[in-house]
Each structure stands twice: as structure tokens, then as C-alpha cells.
Amino acid sequence: DAKTTQPTSMDCAEGRAANLPCNHSTISGNEYVYWYRQIHSQGPQYIIHGLKNNETNEMASLIITEDRKSSTLILPHATLRDTAVYYCIVRAIFGNEKLTFGTGTRLTIIP
Amino acid sequence: NAGVTQTPKFRVLKTGQSMTLLCAQDMNHEYMYWYRQDPGMGLRLIHYSVGEGTTAKGEVPDGYNVSRLKKQNFLLGLESAAPSQTSVYFCASRPTGRGNIQYFGAGTRLSVL
């Protein structure tokens, strides 16, 4: 699975959009980008995933660059409950079962 | 709607003791996973199962055994606990298809003294 690089930490004001970047310059053509988050002392929670087109669901939007070497997770109106560690994971749909969780980005929403 | 349930939530063991962590899911998922998370690190896969009666090794399987006798349950065993196994353990499950969207339990915090 391709390696990902994320900033260690970020702050965002409550009510503003939180934009979390992820670099995955070695991504292969059959690898998807997944985002999970982990709120303190809880299990990880799936947010969104995509291959090459931008994706949106009730939680967030995922913007993948045309060359697929980076992506951005957007939380459109951040709330205090969005404070968490966010993990960007690159993985092929088929193949080994491992989800490689790095150290992620610690997002703090500021009142 | 319980989802993925892990028991116990907390446990303290002495070195050399054994124990079993239970994971139960009520979503009829085929795949189940056990991860461990150490301070400041991401999750690492211990073992997984692609269906009832099957198990496979992940990236850190040593010192652990697993069983999947029933589809809804995935057991993680520590035969002789070591301080290096002090960690938070997470179970996850996912259905066939739908990519690799895994649903996680709340975790079991284990301390080995």
C-alpha cells in the first residue's frame, strides 16, 4: 500500500471549513484513498473514500487531485465534536486486508 | 443497533496470565479484524478472518491466537501475557464488497504488569 504523509496537527475555528491535506505521491492506479477519524478513547470511524473523482457524503467531502498524488478532506462546518485524529489511508480494494493507519492529523476545533 | 461490541472494556493482567478478548458483531459481516494501538501510534493489524472458521495473520501476530467458530464472534487470546502486550485493542468488521469500510468497536484497554 502507498505511504501517506499528513501534518501532525491542525486547528480550525468552530463553524469554519476544516481542510485536511494528505500526500500520497506513490499511489497506484488501483488504490483508493480512505479517511477515518478517531475521537479520543473511541474506535476509528469511517468517513469517506474515493478513487479519482471527488466524493461527498453527509459527513465530509473528498477532493483528489487530477494526478491522484494528494487529496484533501473537507469538513464543511466544523463543530467541537469534530475534534479528533484523522487518518488518510491508501489501499487497493482487493488484496491484503491490512488498513495501514499512520499517526494521522490531530484536528482541534476551537470555540 | 449494537454494531461491534467488545468485552471486557478494561483488564489488568499479571505477566504470564492468559485471557480472551471477545468481539461480537450483529451486522452479519463476513470479515473481522483485531488491531492494537500503542501510545502515539496508529493501529496495527494482529489477525483477521475472512469468514466463519477462517483466520489469518496480520502484521503483528506473535503472542496472540484467534478463533472464529461463529460468524458473529471473533476471539483474541493471549496465552501468556507480557508487558509488551499492554495496549488498546480494537475489533472491527466489514461486509463483503463495499470496499474496505470497517466498523470498529469501542476498544479494550489491557495492562500487563
Side-chain angles (χ1 to χ4, degrees), chain B residues 31-59:
Chain B
Y31 295 75
M32 296 188 74
Y33 308 83
W34 276 107
Y35 292 86
R36 62 177 287 173
Q37 185 174 33
D38 300 311
M41 298 181 65
L43 280 73
R44 293 183 292 168
L45 182 63
I46 304 171
H47 286 282
Y48 64 96
S49 168
V50 302
E52 181 178 315
T54 74
T55 62
K57 294 180 180 180
E59 58 181 313

Side-chain angles (χ1 to χ4, degrees), chain A residues 76-93:
Chain A
H77 305 287
T79 71
L80 298 179
R81 288 176 295 180
D82 292 322
T83 292
V85 177
Y86 287 77
Y87 297 98
C88 170
I89 299 166
V90 171
R91 185 194 174 274
I93 282 288

Side-chain angles (χ1 to χ4, degrees), chain A residues 64-80:
Chain A
I64 302 174
T65 57
E66 191 168 344
D67 63 7
R68 302 186 69 240
K69 293 184 177 182
S70 65
S71 60
T72 301
L73 178 74
I74 301 172
L75 308 177
H77 305 287
T79 71
L80 298 179

Side-chain angles (χ1 to χ4, degrees), chain A residues 10-78:
Chain A
M10 295 180 62
D11 294 336
C12 178
E14 187 178 17
R16 304 296 294 269
N19 296 274
L20 291 87
C22 179
N23 287 321
H24 32 79
S25 58
T26 60
I27 192 169
S28 300
N30 66 341
E31 290 180 319
Y32 285 65
V33 180
Y34 292 82
W35 283 85
Y36 283 75
R37 72 180 182 183
Q38 187 173 22
I39 297 170
H40 182 63
S41 298
Q42 297 182 22
Q45 176 190 23
Y46 166 80
I47 302 173
I48 198 167
H49 75 288
L51 182 63
K52 55 183 178 181
N53 298 320
N54 298 337
E55 302 288 343
T56 296
N57 63 20
E58 65 278 5
M59 291 183 66
S61 294
L62 174 60
I63 308 297
I64 302 174
T65 57
E66 191 168 344
D67 63 7
R68 302 186 69 240
K69 293 184 177 182
S70 65
S71 60
T72 301
L73 178 74
I74 301 172
L75 308 177
H77 305 287

